[in-house]
Amino acid sequence: MNPRNRRSFLNDVGRGMLAAGLGTALASELGFSNAFADSESDAIDCGEYTRLVELMRNTPADQLQPVLAAMLKHQQTDLRQLTAAGALANAVTFGGCDYVGFHTAMALLPALAMSEQLEAARRPLPVLKVLYRNALQIQEVGGASHTVLRAMDMAAGEEHAQEAEVGLEIQQACRERKVEEGEKLLASLGANPIDSFNALQPAIQDDLNVHRFVFAHRTYGLIGLLGDQYAHSLLRQCVRLCADHERMRVESQQGDSPIRAALPRLLDQYGLVGRSFGKRDPGDAEINALCNAIYNNAGEGAAEIVAGALVDGIDPECIGEALSLASNQYVLRQRAENWRTHGDAAGVHSTDATNAWRNMLRSAAPHYVASGLIVAAYHVGVQSPPFPAPEVPLEEHLEQLKKTDATSLLLEAEDAIRGNDQYRAAAAIHAYGEQGFNEEPVFALMLKYAVSEDGRLHGEKYYHTVKEEFSTIRPAFRWRQLVGLARVTASGFGYNREDKAGYRAAGYDQACDLLGIDS
């Protein structure tokens, strides 16, 4: 960093924020002055992360990466702290109501998990990449001058004895776009994160929107990283996002989401309120049949099929498998005329949403499980009608494979990815899985490109979704998930968010240079 660039950097970020983030010793080593000023904000209390949060909110993305890389090198922070601070910087700036902002928030935990699967020298890459995206959008809206999530009185609001009662009141507040009222209702539940998370379920289940599902799931997960003391600050964003969806619905003069009428009707019709769930595993054939029924009866038909499966005593976890497999069909059956299967394509959105529901319902109170599965089923095909074509790979794609040993198939898959050949990539991984080869080399290959490519804001969470779904779906069907990931990875290689070819993920090459590793 030469003197001219250093002066420009100081002008951009401000001395106080730089010192707060770096500490005196590292700032001195990098050649910065030690004379810094304090800053004040009425944002939420970020506690031990305040200095990192302010650094991230005040620093342009290109200039932030060298600072964070230096802090990692000098062991002044670690990837978990950077991820936590990035989540708080995102929350303070966007409050859950910025499109790129909430997509970035949803990528933070997956990026941290991805880092743990890499060799030591490359571990910072996924986190630095997402924090770069975070910083770009923070600066886009005005940096530290744009504070959305402000401190509030945690004692505000009436004390409620029943979490379920509060949940219905939060749902109504979101419908009426009364954000402050919804936040106060959430605060009235106290400091227990699971009580707050349960109380959010009626609002989360009140519309068919992938973002409110995945954002709620990932935000609840961030509490485990940051600590319970941040639970209300993080979960407040779910109230804001749900209310913002309602605002957009009203302003665009759309009718109520169909789930608002369908959900109470199905719960009543099938007697699911207060019902105990069965533990029956119907076996592979019936799970596959249930998957196909859900896929071919998208919308209310799929929701009714799931309600009937619950009455039949099928374990909710098994129903979740069928939902996941049905969502995966949207990845495998999309045809070439819709060339892009990565990003916000139907299959990626559906699979991520189903994964979010499966995870949320493992934590939520039992009285939300039936309604959550019904909403999840209704949503599976909400973005597109079912694609009529058979799933890939087709026999003609498999016949093009020249070698079928493990090494050759992985090389074939990588070559197909780099050539954007979705069908050949799917065929190579399908053949690999059919022969019973170990899945870890495939995940390592897909991880490489999940880190280096843009993915239209969805790459990190979809990779992590597939990793989770592979581990929780029965062996007979789990390779469908990896075949889907291979296809999506081939679709996304080299494309930026605007679908222009010849790009890597923003900030990736700079991060590699800073870490001294090959890109």
Side-chain angles (χ1 to χ4, degrees), residues 35 43 75 106 113 147 191 206 213 257 291 320 331 353 356 367 380 392 409 433 457:
Q75 298 183 342
M106 292 187 285
T147 297
D206 204 35
F213 307 156
S257 172
C291 154
V331 180
H367 53 273
V380 164
V392 298
L409 288 171
L457 304 177

Side-chain angles (χ1 to χ4, degrees), residues 148 285 321 324 397 464 478:
V148 170
E321 285 185 79
S324 180
H397 305 138
H464 193 62
R478 62 175 49 151

Side-chain angles (χ1 to χ4, degrees), residues 410 413-414 417 429 440-450 489:
L410 288 173
E414 181 159 25
I417 288 168
I429 298 308
E440 288 307 320
V442 181
F443 276 113
L445 175 62
M446 301 305 158
L447 176 61
K448 173 182 175 182
Y449 293 105
T489 303

Side-chain angles (χ1 to χ4, degrees), residues 11-200:
N11 287 334
D12 284 335
V13 284
R15 298 172 180 268
M17 297 307 97
L18 182 63
L22 297 182
T24 304
L26 181 54
S28 177
E29 181 174 329
L30 292 174
F32 298 117
S33 166
N34 291 331
F36 302 107
D38 293 327
S39 68
E40 295 181 0
S41 172
D42 62 348
I44 58 171
D45 181 6
C46 294
E48 64 184 287
Y49 301 105
T50 298
R51 292 181 175 182
L52 274 174
V53 169
E54 291 305 318
L55 176 67
M56 292 177 180
R57 291 197 344 116
N58 279 275
T59 312
D62 287 341
Q63 296 165 350
L64 179 63
Q65 284 217 102
V67 176
L68 299 184
M71 293 178 74
L72 288 169
K73 176 183 176 182
H74 288 263
Q75 298 183 342
Q76 292 197 330
T77 189
D78 59 33
L79 296 177
R80 291 180 65 85
Q81 290 175 338
L82 289 182
T83 303
L88 288 172
N90 184 289
V92 169
T93 309
F94 306 120
C97 296
D98 178 276
Y99 182 84
V100 176
F102 61 64
H103 275 87
T104 304
M106 292 187 285
L108 284 165
L109 277 181
L112 181 61
M114 289 161 64
S115 72
E116 295 167 357
Q117 300 163 39
L118 294 168
E119 60 187 53
R122 305 186 74 84
R123 279 177 194 154
L125 277 178
V127 173
L128 289 177
K129 169 192 170 184
V130 174
L131 290 179
Y132 186 95
R133 184 188 305 161
N134 204 37
L136 278 179
Q137 190 63 13
I138 287 172
Q139 295 305 309
E140 178 70 20
V141 301
S145 66
H146 187 79
T147 297
V148 170
L149 209 61
R150 302 181 185 277
M152 65 174 287
D153 180 7
M154 286 295 294
E158 179 187 353
E159 289 297 326
H160 292 269
Q162 296 293 327
E163 157 264 307
E165 176 189 345
V166 178
L168 292 174
E169 292 181 15
I170 290 174
Q171 180 193 69
Q172 188 61 33
C174 290
R175 288 182 178 183
E176 296 175 1
R177 289 96 68 203
K178 295 180 179 178
V179 173
E180 185 177 354
E181 180 178 324
E183 290 180 311
K184 288 181 177 179
L185 286 164
L186 193 67
S188 73
L189 289 166
N192 188 342
I194 191 60
D195 288 345
S196 297
F197 185 63
N198 280 325
L200 286 169

